[in-house]
Amino acid sequence: MFGHIDYKNPPELCPVRDVMSVASDQWSALIILWLGYFPVLRFNKLKKFVYGISNKVLSQRLKVLEADGYIQRKAFAEVPIRVEYSLTDFGQSYVEKLLELAEWMQTNSPKVLANREKYGLL
Amino acid sequence: MFGHIDYKNPPELCPVRDVMSVASDQWSALIILWLGYFPVLRFNKLKKFVYGISNKVLSQRLKVLEADGYIQRKAFAEVPIRVEYSLTDFGQSYVEKLLELAEWMQTNSPKVLANREKYGLL
DNA sequence: TCATTCGGTTACTTTTTGTAACTTACTCTA
DNA sequence: TAGAGTAAGTTACAAAAAGTAACCGAATGA
């Protein structure tokens, strides 16, 4: 990530950046965090928890997160169709890290909001 | 973040989301990580490390990160002007958390790339 | 027969990003 | 003394991503 990598390298030679930008994207993070809290969620339920996300973006992100191995998609041939999303073991290991970050945010967001306000007055 | 918050709340009532979306944005994260590695960086140096970022976005992000209290900006009245960016104590405490995430990514990005490839074959 | 359900997709608009040229004000070089 | 270079950005314009809202198919229940 740092000193040992030639900073002139194009980003496609830095998979960490690529992977991180998917996994820590705002919507992806929320999806993963909610799936960490509720082991199984269906599309519309997930959409309610990840408040404000659109069908389009939710379905895009779910595909990418599935491709990257964080989540699993199980479709049941019922009518109407039922689809269940859940974390993989890999996703579970990630959500633990992510949760630490979320907790830091929970603790520190008041400071940030205070900073913002102070900054606005300058 | 979770069960104790009514998921119907509009996002503007969830400061954690707001703050997190700024701080864990791809470019913001890279800026903060590099400033964690080099205690002081000037605009153009930072731009080289955060490979691929444009002047516009770099200057936007620096302003937001300054407003939120993660970084400090010091301008020296020289010619040509010299501007030094560095982490605040608050930013320093954040970069430690962020670094854990980056390390997880460093370790696990090969798995993600492998998953992606497998997924592509399905 | 007609509205409802679920898990999306599609066409279209708006917002965000990226690109690249330009700026300011002074100094160094030819 | 004309011209180029420098640092830290800004600006106008183009491209990409995200948001919006209507629509889909197949079956079920009223």
Side-chain angles (χ1 to χ4, degrees):
Chain A
M1 191 53 137
F2 291 120
H4 61 291
I5 288 179
D6 180 0
Y7 62 73
K8 293 192 214 68
N9 275 348
E12 52 274 25
L13 294 181
C14 181
V16 176
R17 264 175 69 162
D18 176 9
V19 169
M20 189 156 168
S21 74
V22 169
S24 71
D25 159 85
Q26 187 193 177
W27 293 126
S28 300
L30 285 170
I31 291 168
I32 290 172
L33 286 168
W34 281 111
L35 283 174
Y37 194 74
F38 296 103
V40 174
L41 285 171
R42 297 167 63 179
F43 191 90
N44 283 307
K45 209 70 170 154
L46 201 41
K47 196 187 164 190
K48 277 178 195 158
F49 287 121
V50 184
Y51 187 86
I53 199 170
S54 65
N55 286 11
K56 190 181 89 172
V57 172
L58 178 54
S59 100
Q60 276 177 359
R61 290 281 171 269
L62 288 171
K63 277 176 196 162
V64 172
L65 292 175
E66 195 193 352
D68 279 12
Y70 300 103
I71 67 175
Q72 257 172 335
R73 179 185 187 276
K74 263 184 216 163
F76 299 84
E78 302 172 0
V79 170
I81 191 175
R82 179 163 57 101
V83 178
E84 292 184 346
Y85 291 96
S86 55
L87 293 178
T88 59
D89 289 347
F90 183 63
Q92 192 64 48
S93 83
Y94 176 54
V95 79
E96 280 158 34
K97 269 289 148 214
L98 198 55
L99 206 45
E100 287 177 35
L101 199 72
E103 273 155 17
W104 190 93
M105 292 293 163
Q106 179 96 292
T107 306
N108 291 284
S109 59
K111 288 181 203 163
V112 172
L113 299 183
N115 285 335
R116 264 184 215 178
E117 219 158 297
K118 216 178 354 171
Y119 190 85
L121 306 176
L122 307 181
Chain B
M1 191 53 139
F2 291 122
H4 61 291
I5 288 179
D6 180 0
Y7 62 75
K8 293 191 214 68
N9 275 347
E12 52 273 26
L13 295 182
C14 181
V16 176
R17 265 175 68 161
D18 175 9
V19 169
M20 189 156 167
S21 74
V22 169
S24 70
D25 159 86
Q26 187 193 178
W27 293 127
S28 300
L30 285 171
I31 291 168
I32 289 172
L33 286 168
W34 282 111
L35 283 174
Y37 194 73
F38 296 103
V40 174
L41 285 172
R42 297 167 63 178
F43 190 88
N44 284 307
K45 208 74 170 149
L46 203 39
K47 197 188 162 188
K48 277 178 195 159
F49 288 122
V50 184
Y51 187 85
I53 199 171
S54 66
N55 287 12
K56 190 180 90 173
V57 172
L58 179 54
S59 99
Q60 276 177 359
R61 290 282 173 273
L62 288 171
K63 277 175 196 162
V64 172
L65 291 175
E66 195 193 353
D68 279 12
Y70 300 103
I71 66 175
Q72 259 172 334
R73 180 185 187 276
K74 263 185 215 163
F76 298 84
E78 302 173 357
V79 170
I81 191 174
R82 179 163 57 100
V83 178
E84 291 185 347
Y85 291 95
S86 55
L87 294 179
T88 59
D89 290 345
F90 183 63
Q92 192 59 240
S93 83
Y94 177 52
V95 79
E96 280 157 36
K97 268 290 147 214
L98 198 55
L99 206 45
E100 288 177 35
L101 198 72
E103 273 154 17
W104 191 94
M105 292 293 162
Q106 179 96 292
T107 305
N108 291 284
S109 59
K111 290 181 202 163
V112 172
L113 298 182
N115 285 333
R116 265 184 214 176
E117 219 159 297
K118 215 179 354 172
Y119 190 85
L121 305 175
L122 305 182

